[in-house]
Amino acid sequence: MTPESVAWWIAAFLLLLDLVIRTTAIIVIPRNRRPTAAMAWLLAVFFIPFIGVFLFLLIGNPRLPRARRRKQDQINEYIAQTSEHLHFGTLRPHAPGWFGPIVEMNQRLGALPLSGDNGAHLISDYQESLDAMADAIREAQDYVHIEFYILQSDDSTDNFFRAMEEIAARGVEVRVLLDHWANRWKPRYRATVKRLNAMGADWQLMLPVQPLKGKMQRPDLRNHRKLLVVDGKVAFLGSQNVTASTYNLPKNIKRGLNWVDLMVRIDGPVVLSVNAIFLSDWYSETDEVLEEIDIAHADIGSGNLDCQVVPSGPGFEVENNLRLFLGLLYAAKHRIMIVSPYFVPDEALLLAVTAAVDRGVEVELFVSEEGDQAMVYHAQRSYYEVLLKAGVRIWMYRKPYILHTKSLTIDDEVAVIGSSNMDMRSFGLNLEVSMLVRGEEFVSEMRAVEDKYRSLSRELTLEEWMQQPLRSTVLDNLARLTSALQ
């Protein structure tokens, strides 16, 4: 063959391969995928075929491996059977008509029931919440279950770790779960693991990416949950990780960034639901069923709140958290307060928020003035114009603080607090936990925190936003496209 003919055959082969890739992409990518995500992947494959295909094969499947999803199904079935004929506490009377169907949906999707007679109190000071969790740990008699996206031993968390060491020394079982990818590259990882080993804690990595050990899934899936359970009697959950407010990262320290978070201390029957989340994640990572842990007999709490825990993530068939948020947004009659550091809505959520304004509902969104993750920060900014034009008031928490709280309050009776942002990552790729709370007294606590956030923020106006330079608009819109790659 002449060099010219060889070149011709190579060109023909590449052209045919390119055609096959594009045709296959049109058939495979849109299947069971939301239109925005499908379009983003198709654009990636069409404009950068070989890189796009590689990325799709690497991170194109937003679900956990089938074996992990089967485990979640088994867990849900067990919880549903256990709680089918049980009544956890006395529920508050006179619930809004829409509340029951949302609770039923949550239980159908996440298996966990609504319970009454719960106490719940917010802790908005960063160090105070770490110390409150340490105090609760020191009261443990049987076990402590600790599950955090990021867990680091440092000066801020030393009291928390000393509490773990003290109870471990007197024979209390200390079980710990921490996300693999989120911790493996942090500055304090080795010191943290060394300390856990020294105290005798039984610890496991969540969603480990360890192909040599046969542990592999989409590498950007995360277990983003933050929770603590003590003896099945007291629990904490919310947005805060167990680490210094700078995350001990040199880039954060250099920029002066500190995280602002919100945790809730709870007691009563709902603690068993929080514990069920830990037990399900423990089983998923270890195949160990902790049969000595009771999730069917609850103590009455210190308050009169109705609470329901809602797990979500790629182990479930649908986005449980997104459906909860949508149901509440459409139910609101007077006021909606959204606190989300990463607000990157899909079409349904954006429509629900703007439609609420059209119904005459007052809607306020709290975000950070400065971002810690460039792509998400710019993707979020791409929605500000449509939100402001719709009439949503946007409050930007002043830098150098990162407002990391994740909460939603509806009117004066219902709230949600947990680990879930209102973004496509939290809806599709992260394992999250949220708690639905009904009770005016709890919403009043939430309102006080929101008022504090407002006092430390500045309001973004449409006039200011429309003066953004073109380069910022282009960058924001490009980031918005990439955010859809799920």
Side-chain angles (χ1 to χ4, degrees):
M1 280 184 139
T2 65
E4 291 79 7
S5 61
V6 171
W8 186 91
W9 281 109
I10 292 175
F13 172 76
L14 293 175
L15 182 63
L16 179 62
L17 180 60
D18 179 71
L19 181 62
V20 169
I21 289 174
R22 293 169 187 262
T23 304
T24 304
I26 292 174
I27 297 171
V28 172
I29 289 177
R31 185 179 181 186
N32 297 324
R33 196 180 301 270
R34 63 165 59 96
T36 50
M39 185 60 67
W41 277 116
L42 287 173
L43 286 173
V45 170
F46 273 54
F47 281 101
I48 44 173
F50 299 107
I51 297 176
V53 168
F54 172 76
L55 290 174
F56 181 76
L57 293 175
L58 182 67
I59 62 172
N61 182 5
R63 297 296 177 198
L64 285 167
R66 188 170 300 168
R68 288 287 297 254
R69 298 201 304 274
R70 278 200 297 266
K71 286 184 179 180
Q72 186 66 61
D73 292 340
Q74 293 168 2
I75 293 162
N76 287 356
E77 183 178 355
Y78 171 75
I79 293 173
Q81 291 175 352
T82 302
S83 61
E84 183 178 5
H85 301 295
L86 296 176
H87 299 283
F88 297 105
T90 303
L91 299 179
R92 299 168 75 104
H94 312 303
W98 51 262
F99 187 72
I102 288 180
V103 167
E104 182 180 352
M105 174 189 70
N106 293 338
Q107 185 165 2
R108 185 183 301 115
L109 297 178
L112 295 167
L114 180 73
S115 64
D117 297 328
N118 297 290
H121 296 286
L122 299 172
I123 307 174
S124 59
D125 181 83
Y126 198 97
Q127 188 61 49
E128 183 183 338
S129 70
L130 291 171
D131 292 339
M133 287 188 283
D135 291 343
I137 289 171
R138 287 190 171 92
E139 297 296 319
Q141 299 298 317
D142 299 316
Y143 64 84
V144 168
H145 291 160
I146 298 166
E147 177 176 342
F148 283 86
Y149 178 59
I150 296 175
L151 183 81
Q152 295 190 74
S153 170
D154 55 37
D155 291 343
S156 297
T157 65
D158 183 63
N159 186 31
F160 186 101
F161 275 81
R162 281 190 286 108
M164 294 166 62
E165 290 163 343
E166 291 167 18
I167 65 168
R170 55 183 170 84
V172 175
E173 189 72 42
V174 178
R175 299 184 179 94
V176 179
L177 290 170
L178 60 156
D179 186 82
H180 178 212
W181 201 264
N183 289 275
R184 185 64 183 87
W185 315 113
K186 292 293 186 297
R188 301 290 299 172
Y189 177 70
R190 290 175 183 258
T192 301
V193 167
K194 183 178 180 180
R195 195 165 182 179
L196 291 172
N197 287 332
M199 74 175 69
D202 190 355
W203 65 274
Q204 302 289 334
L205 295 172
M206 298 186 290
L207 298 180
V209 182
Q210 298 170 319
L212 296 180
K213 296 182 179 181
K215 298 178 180 180
M216 189 65 190
Q217 60 269 325
R218 176 172 169 166
D220 62 338
L221 298 182
R222 304 281 186 272
N223 192 319
H224 196 239
R225 294 168 178 162
K226 294 103 174 167
L227 59 91
L228 165 69
V229 181
V230 178
D231 291 342
K233 300 179 183 301
V234 174
F236 292 76
L237 61 78
S239 66
Q240 186 174 341
N241 291 294
V242 177
T243 181
S245 61
T246 63
Y247 285 38
N248 299 302
L249 293 175
K251 64 178 183 178
N252 293 342
I253 297 171
K254 182 178 180 180
R255 295 169 61 188
L257 298 184
N258 286 273
W259 268 241
V260 175
D261 279 288
L262 188 63
M263 296 293 284
V264 59
R265 181 192 187 278
I266 52 182
D267 57 73
V270 74
V271 173
L272 299 184
S273 292
V274 180
N275 207 21
I277 300 298
F278 177 90
L279 296 174
S280 67
D281 286 340
W282 186 265
Y283 171 63
S284 294
E285 301 299 349
T286 67
D287 289 324
E288 181 183 6
V289 178
L290 301 175
E291 295 180 348
E292 74 276 14
I293 307 299
D294 184 10
I295 63 169
H297 299 89
D299 293 334
I300 298 300
S302 60
N304 185 32
L305 299 172
D306 293 349
C307 299
Q308 183 180 34
V309 172
V310 181
S312 58
F316 295 91
E317 291 301 317
V318 299
E319 298 95 338
N320 299 354
N321 48 355
L322 174 59
R323 296 191 180 207
L324 167 62
F325 296 147
L326 290 174
L328 293 176
L329 291 171
Y330 279 112
K333 299 291 189 296
H334 307 292
R335 198 177 190 193
I336 296 170
M337 296 287 166
I338 301 169
V339 185
S340 181
Y342 313 117
F343 185 81
V344 185
D346 68 352
E347 297 96 327
L349 184 62
L350 186 62
L351 179 61
V353 171
T354 54
V357 180
D358 292 336
R359 297 197 310 272
V361 178
E362 177 186 352
V363 181
E364 297 184 40
L365 170 65
F366 293 81
V367 296
S368 292
E369 184 177 41
E370 185 169 6
D372 65 303
Q373 299 181 32
M375 293 300 291
V376 180
Y377 173 69
H378 284 286
Q380 172 176 285
R381 285 164 50 91
S382 73
Y383 291 93
Y384 287 170
E385 182 177 342
V386 67
L387 291 169
L388 290 168
K389 285 184 175 179
V392 176
R393 298 184 70 183
I394 300 178
W395 298 94
M396 305 180 74
Y397 201 94
R398 291 189 181 274
K399 58 185 178 182
Y401 294 95
I402 301 296
L403 182 58
H404 196 241
T405 296
K406 302 95 166 51
S407 65
L408 171 67
T409 52
I410 300 297
D411 299 335
D412 295 318
E413 191 173 11
V414 175
V416 176
I417 182 172
S419 66
S420 178
N421 296 301
M422 286 195 178
D423 72 343
M424 286 182 257
R425 164 164 280 282
S426 280
F427 297 148
L429 303 180
N430 288 347
L431 278 73
E432 306 282 9
V433 59
S434 304
M435 185 172 72
L436 175 69
V437 183
R438 177 173 172 250
E440 296 89 344
E441 57 271 42
F442 185 77
V443 175
S444 180
E445 281 194 45
M446 291 290 302
R447 290 282 185 257
V449 172
E450 293 161 357
D451 290 343
K452 180 182 178 181
Y453 290 166
R454 192 182 294 104
S455 71
L456 296 171
S457 304
R458 68 176 184 86
E459 185 171 6
L460 177 66
T461 65
L462 180 60
E463 291 74 20
E464 176 190 347
W465 183 250
M466 297 308 292
Q467 296 175 13
Q468 291 292 312
L470 178 61
R471 63 179 181 277
S472 294
T473 302
V474 172
L475 184 57
D476 294 344
N477 289 334
L478 286 174
R480 181 172 178 168
L481 285 176
T482 61
S483 71
L485 292 175
Q486 292 188 35

